[in-house]
Amino acid sequence: MAEQNINRETGIIYAINGPVIKGKKMSSFKMREMVTVGAKQLIGEVIVLEGDIGTIQVYEETEGLKAGEVIISTGQPLSLKLGPGLLKNMFDGIQRPLQKIQELSPIFIPEGIGLLSIDEKKRWDTTITVKPGDILSAGSIFGLVQETEVIENRLLVPPNVSGTIVEIVENGCYTIDDVLVKIRDEKDAIHELKMAQVWPVRTPRPNAWRGETLVPLVTGQRVIDIFFPIAKGGTAAIPGGFGTGKTMTQHQLAKWSDADIIVYIGCGERGNEMTEVIEDFPKLIDPQSGKSIMERTVLIANTSNMPVAAREASIYTGVTIAEYYRDMGYAVALMADSTSRWAEALREISGRLEEMPAEEGYPAYLPSRIAEFYERAGSVETLGGGEGSITIIGAVSPAGGDFSEPVTENTKRFVNVFLALDKSLAYARHYPAINWLESYSGYIKILTDWYEDNVAEDCIDLRNKMLELLFQENKLLEMVMLVGEDVLPDDQRWILEIAKIIKVGYLQQNAYNKEDTYVPLKKQYAMLKAIEYLYEKGREGLKLGIPTSQLKNADIFSEFIKMKYTVPNDDLSGIDRLKEEIDSFYETLFERYTN
Amino acid sequence: MKKEYLKIDKVVGPLIQVSEVDDVFYGESVDILDISSGKIKKGKVIKIEAENVVIQVFQNTTGLAAGNSIIKFTGESFKLPMSLDLQGRIFNGIGEPIDNGSAIFSAIEANINGRPINPMSREYPRNYIQTGISSIDTLATLIRGQKLPIFSGNGLPHNELAAQIVRQAQLGDNTGEEFGVVFAAIGVKHDDEKFFRKSFSEANIMDHVVMFVNYADDPIAERITTPRCALTAAEYLAFEKNMHILVVMTDMTSYCEALREISSAREEVPSRKGYPGYMYSDLASLYERAGMLKNSSGSITFLPILTMPNDDITHPIPDLTGYITEGQIVLGRDLFQQSIYPPVSILPSLSRLMKDGIGEGFTREDHAEVTNQLFASYSKVQEVRDLSQIIGEEELSPTDKKYMAFGRAFEATFLNQGFDESRSIIESLDLGWRLLAILPLTELDRLSPENIEKYFSKES
Ligand SMILES: Nc1ncnc2c1ncn2[C@@H]1O[C@H](COP(=O)(O)OP(=O)(O)O)[C@@H](O)[C@H]1O
Ligand SMILES: [Mg+2]
């Protein structure tokens, strides 16, 4: 990028209204161009151009700006610097490293710190994997850098560049801005390849081909993996009122899902939640790699008290970083908590622009923005010929907890998994408070083969059967609320008893318990299979005319409810023993009734 | 030398428009001299459009008109002098003393808007504060550095509860750490303010209290600055002077109503119920000022109080608050009508930070389980009560009857306690076990065998 010889245009501020300012003499500026604003050189982006007048959203606090101060063009759209040094770090909404900012200002985030990005001084041990004369196409790999203990950064030819190698450097330590490879394109122009590349946040990075993965994102959370699975490359939304468990669920996914890379965007939420991630993640061990989960994580933080325009940008920053790792051939999972705050940022900026509002003050383009964001998920063949994916999981914070508001409704149109959090479950401390009647996964069909091959032949059938039981329970409970439980026939009461085990012993999963916080698929299946076993045993008993009160053995029931804690994740023999106990108990019981 | 302007173009509610202005900055503090009364009113630039400037006036704008006022731009943002001498003093909503004491002088001046705390600079809060109130300590434990609002309703005893927490909370620990209270009254009745002042002096802590008071009959626009002044003082005392500060703020509903009124004077597009679309960010710019820092040993624990219009928790004010704060303590009218004090409605109440501050080494190893079990059982009580409404209590199954008994005993002895009664966390947990013993052991599925062995048999 030839940053030095840009003709810098200047405009003059004439109006200031919160994060939105207007400038005059801006006819030679470009739409979506990044600019610096005022004496403090705040970072902003041109969002409207009308003749001489430009409107700019400013990513920093605007207090202190005056009419008459200058606006300077940068000649570039708002862009990210993509290279090693993203992982294990936390950035603000426009990719400025919060650690660096803290070194400049120990407590509070000041304005006017300029454009910082990933570390430009750090030297990375680099292996060049190509030689002069090789032909490099866009997206192919020319070198390798061990970015963290678990992630190898594959140095990619930028999407818009290709040619024949004319020069390479020796293997050794280089910074992200050192020229590593020079290539000559068809028009005889020389391109310099560096570790880092610059990419505009609002433009999706290209890929060769969009496919469909038939593999789930394994999360270790029973209600998700078994009941409402998310496919790698898929999309999911987690809507819920405050305190229902959106953040906890997102944190659990970031901690335990089997993606290669996690991009976690704290979008307009609490500062302490990001601090918690920074403190906790380095201590948690990824069951796949055996290393700290921080080694594969990038954090983006625009907390609720940080400038609102940068909240709008944070979503794009996150997804662009996700695409960068996808292009290296990784399976990336992106969590955004919460997409509603992003939508509200859109609304606030739109309001300051005095645009015509559509529903509840949101701009008319809200649905298309939501769609564009989720469309950046997917499994792809990369330009370099590899396979990569981005799974997007967005939390939604509906006003008043009411799912009929615009952000939830429009999100529902564009995602395939809907994990509906329920206030009454949360009130009863049934966590995760994912309502099994309202939630759905559109991936069951395409993932069935995978589950049959990798978990158990009957895994999805079992899931369907148990879900059906929960639906039946719901109907029965409605009846109980009218007439009491006593009048139900025994087979229906047995359903209620088993449903209770499914709810308390299976669907409830305690994120704070060491054994229960993450559960391998094998145990998830074995637990549910055992519950089915108990259910069927009881039904045999019912056929013999044994009443539910006799079929329900308090000890066995209590063991079922506690098996998530008592059966270790790596030793499922406890579940077999439980089945033996069932056998011996019912054998004796049945004998009494048959004789 | 800053210019002075004599001409006001327009007055709309708390806003005035001035034209042909130059060299002012966004957020600049403004002094407006009302010539007829000789009084200076304070304001702030909230919009600049070429040479036209909109100023939000923090005091009453009645009487302000073209020709009778002088507008002076101060060249400064809205700042307050900061000093330890703030303690024991009473100020109005723009930080002027109203206790006949002298003005505060200090070389240190802080912008009342504050700046966002870098998440890297925060220290995650982990130490619990014993309030002596069973429902809070056991089920929604307050953590030092937490922002935990009280969601109340008109006429409910939120002031009494807040005062009791201030009185009983052991804020400083034995290491001689200093504590203080910053109290902000926003649009409150004189009686309410008096109540708090009285309870602070009865607790003998008046010397450690900084008060910012905006009465119900004070100007609306001053409600916008009141919490900001208070939090600026709190930040200074906590983060510069390493004190443990408890900020009590009442009533956030008046604050939000003021925000709405100003927004409508600005003719902004409203979102739900007429409140501005930026209310979430605006509230966050207050609530997020609570917390702890890595490089300071002080803390800001924040207890805002709000009254839910029509007791509706989905109303934008409690709703947006709950989305920002680290939990909430909800008061219920039904409990209040049964004369239960404090009427803490436990099911919707939540402390998001308690998980790291309870259990072994903090409170007691059984705490999390007792909490979970009490929540689960009490939520079952609600179901059983609904059922008994329909079929009658006599028709309930034996187990359900026990739930009815548990529910009554829980409310009468666990929730209910005296204004001056302070229970230790251990007493509260033991009481929890005694109440759970009313239920059959088979119903207690959140308790581990070890804890049942240790605590249950002993009690029952
Ligand atoms: N899986 C879980 N296990 C244990 N506790 C949970 C779980 N999910 C939620 N919680 C509890 O619910 C509280 C609120 O969850 P949180 O994710 O912060 O809600 P939200 O983001 O929807 O406001 C947490 O502080 C925690 O106490
Ligand atoms: Mg959350």
Side-chain angles (χ1 to χ4, degrees), chain A residues 247 269-270 273 337, chain B residues 352:
Chain A
T247 303
E269 295 288 311
R270 302 177 185 85
E273 289 173 348
D337 182 18
Chain B
R352 292 162 190 267

Side-chain angles (χ1 to χ4, degrees), chain A residues 14 16 18 63-65 98-99 106-109 111 243 268 270 272 275-276 279 341 398 400 429 481 512, chain B residues 23 26 48 50 111 113 115-116 118-121 126 280 288 319 323-326 347 349 352 355 390 447:
Chain A
Y14 93 93
I16 307 159
E63 183 175 307
L65 281 182
L98 287 162
Q99 174 87 51
I107 303 177
F108 301 106
I109 300 178
E111 56 272 353
R270 302 177 185 85
N272 270 332
T275 308
E276 186 183 12
E279 288 186 11
R341 307 302 165 216
R429 271 57 180 177
M481 280 323 284
Y512 302 135
Chain B
D23 204 32
Y26 185 70
I48 299 175
N111 185 330
N113 284 333
R115 281 288 175 270
N118 189 333
M120 296 292 292
S121 311
R126 291 176 202 275
Y280 176 82
E288 280 286 319
D319 190 49
Y323 272 121
I324 304 164
T325 53
E326 284 143 349
L347 296 179
S349 297
R352 292 162 190 267
K355 60 182 196 306
I390 295 163
L447 304 174

Side-chain angles (χ1 to χ4, degrees), chain A residues 569-586:
Chain A
N569 285 337
D570 53 7
D571 174 11
L572 304 184
S573 55
I575 292 181
D576 296 330
R577 276 199 299 280
L578 201 49
K579 281 188 183 163
E580 284 160 22
E581 255 176 76
I582 293 175
D583 284 340
S584 74
F585 170 75
Y586 286 101

Side-chain angles (χ1 to χ4, degrees), chain A residues 25 32 103 105 184 207 216 232 288 342 412 472 503 505 530 551 580 589:
Chain A
K25 299 192 180 158
R32 290 286 171 198
E103 285 159 22
S105 162
R184 189 192 304 276
N207 52 261
K232 284 209 174 98
Q288 270 81 41
W342 164 66
K412 210 168 175 178
Q472 285 187 35
K503 290 192 295 186
L551 291 171
E580 284 160 22
L589 183 68

Side-chain angles (χ1 to χ4, degrees), chain A residues 353-467:
Chain A
L353 296 176
E354 294 173 8
E355 293 174 338
M356 258 308 263
E359 273 177 287
E360 293 190 20
Y362 287 102
Y365 47 78
L366 175 74
S368 63
R369 293 286 166 87
I370 293 176
E372 279 163 24
F373 169 59
Y374 283 104
E375 277 304 297
R376 289 174 81 167
S379 291
V380 303
E381 184 185 316
T382 65
L383 291 181
E387 269 178 41
S389 67
I390 297 177
T391 312
I392 296 185
I393 300 138
V396 183
S397 316
D402 174 4
F403 289 3
S404 67
E405 57 87 48
V407 183
T408 317
E409 292 238 299
N410 285 305
T411 301
K412 210 168 175 178
R413 291 164 58 197
F414 305 116
V415 299
N416 285 318
V417 179
F418 192 72
L419 301 172
L421 295 176
D422 184 324
K423 198 156 146 179
S424 49
L425 290 176
Y427 281 4
R429 271 57 180 177
H430 172 115
Y431 295 125
I434 294 174
N435 182 312
W436 50 91
L437 303 171
E438 268 182 80
S439 302
Y440 57 80
S441 164
Y443 297 118
I444 294 288
K445 260 218 177 73
I446 62 163
L447 293 176
T448 299
D449 285 348
W450 188 93
Y451 277 90
E452 288 179 358
D453 297 346
N454 293 278
V455 186
E457 188 61 38
D458 67 339
C459 187
I460 297 294
D461 290 339
L462 176 65
R463 173 244 183 215
N464 293 342
K465 181 173 170 183
M466 294 293 115
L467 196 56

